[in-house]
Amino acid sequence: EVELLESGGGLVQPGGSLRLSCAASGFTFTSYAMSWVRQAPGKGLEWVSSISGSGDFTYYADSVKGRFTISSDNSKRTLYLQMSSLRAEDTAVYYCAKSHVATRRHVNGDFDYWGQGALVTVSS
Amino acid sequence: DIQMTQSPSSLSASVGDRVTITCRASQDINSFLAWYQQKPGKPPNLLIYAASTLQSGVPSRFSGSGSGTDFTLTISSLQPEDIATYYCQRYNSAPPLTFGGGTKVEIK
């Protein structure tokens, strides 16, 4: 059974940093692209970042480019999102999501499994 | 970037009604479109991919259609457990993997 478990959320001051983790199980981690999608309170879904199954290709939304870094540790089957220079508008629930189709190079796909989400609150 | 526009943003219907939600892409995305259902406090759940393919375990009252720029999600007979917000998402090319703004479905 596929499981995605996020951790690392919390309250952080503007300008601060935080690292989210997503522990994956139940599938061949290196065969699927992984992504982060966030949802601000009362708002819709916003794609944030994706990494290919091989780990060689990464993509970011313009809103986080230069501030967030996506990475993965295959030995730990864990996806990360390092967030820095955080702003109030980054406040959201952050979901990790698994791509539906196995591909080591591409990241464009729909998402068949999602974690329960990690709340990040940026406030002084 | 490709924009995804959903309509309506909200709707109210009676149990048993046929419900239709539309999603329009600003460019041709072929059939690379997915639909998700999200209930309050829960992560999204994949309903349909490739515009019209029902994800395993999803009730058959849900269906999707369309290609190119215009897509539709239909609930053939609305049930109380279908109360949720529905999102479309395009995935035809490299990111951003844009979502539509969402459609909130309520019971009348």
Side-chain angles (χ1 to χ4, degrees), chain A residues 7-9 17-21 69 71 76 80-83 86:
Chain A
S7 60
S17 298
L18 206 60
R19 188 178 80 160
L20 301 181
S21 300
T69 302
S71 63
K76 296 182 178 179
Y80 301 102
L81 186 68
Q82 178 68 47
M83 304 182 291
L86 283 161

Side-chain angles (χ1 to χ4, degrees), chain A residues 20-43:
Chain A
L20 301 181
S21 300
C22 172
S25 61
F27 64 100
T28 304
F29 187 66
T30 54
S31 293
Y32 293 86
M34 296 292 293
S35 299
W36 291 97
V37 176
R38 70 184 180 183
Q39 187 168 37
K43 302 297 184 181

Side-chain angles (χ1 to χ4, degrees), chain B residues 36-72:
Chain B
Y36 301 88
Q37 176 193 65
Q38 187 181 32
K39 297 182 178 181
K42 298 294 186 181
N45 180 50
L46 177 64
L47 296 176
I48 287 168
Y49 61 95
S52 61
T53 303
L54 202 65
Q55 173 70 340
S56 176
V58 174
S60 60
R61 63 181 178 275
F62 291 92
S63 64
S65 64
S67 67
T69 61
D70 293 312
F71 302 87
T72 299

Side-chain angles (χ1 to χ4, degrees), chain A residues 35 37 39 43-48 50 59-62 95 99-101 107-117, chain B residues 1 32 34 36 38 41-46 48-50 55 87 89-101:
Chain A
S35 299
V37 176
Q39 187 168 37
K43 302 297 184 181
L45 301 171
E46 180 189 14
W47 171 81
V48 173
S50 296
Y59 298 85
Y60 300 92
D62 287 345
Y95 297 102
S99 282
H100 191 180
V101 176
V107 303
N108 49 301
D110 55 322
F111 306 122
D112 60 347
Y113 288 93
W114 298 64
Q116 288 300 306
Chain B
D1 292 347
F32 294 99
Y36 301 88
Q38 187 181 32
K42 298 294 186 181
N45 180 50
L46 177 64
I48 287 168
Y49 61 95
Q55 173 70 340
Y87 296 93
Q89 178 226 342
R90 72 99 183 164
Y91 57 96
N92 61 304
S93 61
L97 303 176
T98 319
F99 291 89

Side-chain angles (χ1 to χ4, degrees), chain B residues 8-27:
Chain B
S9 57
S10 66
L11 66 89
S12 181
S14 300
V15 172
D17 281 355
R18 183 182 184 88
V19 169
T20 300
I21 298 168
T22 64
C23 180
R24 176 164 289 175
S26 60
Q27 300 176 31

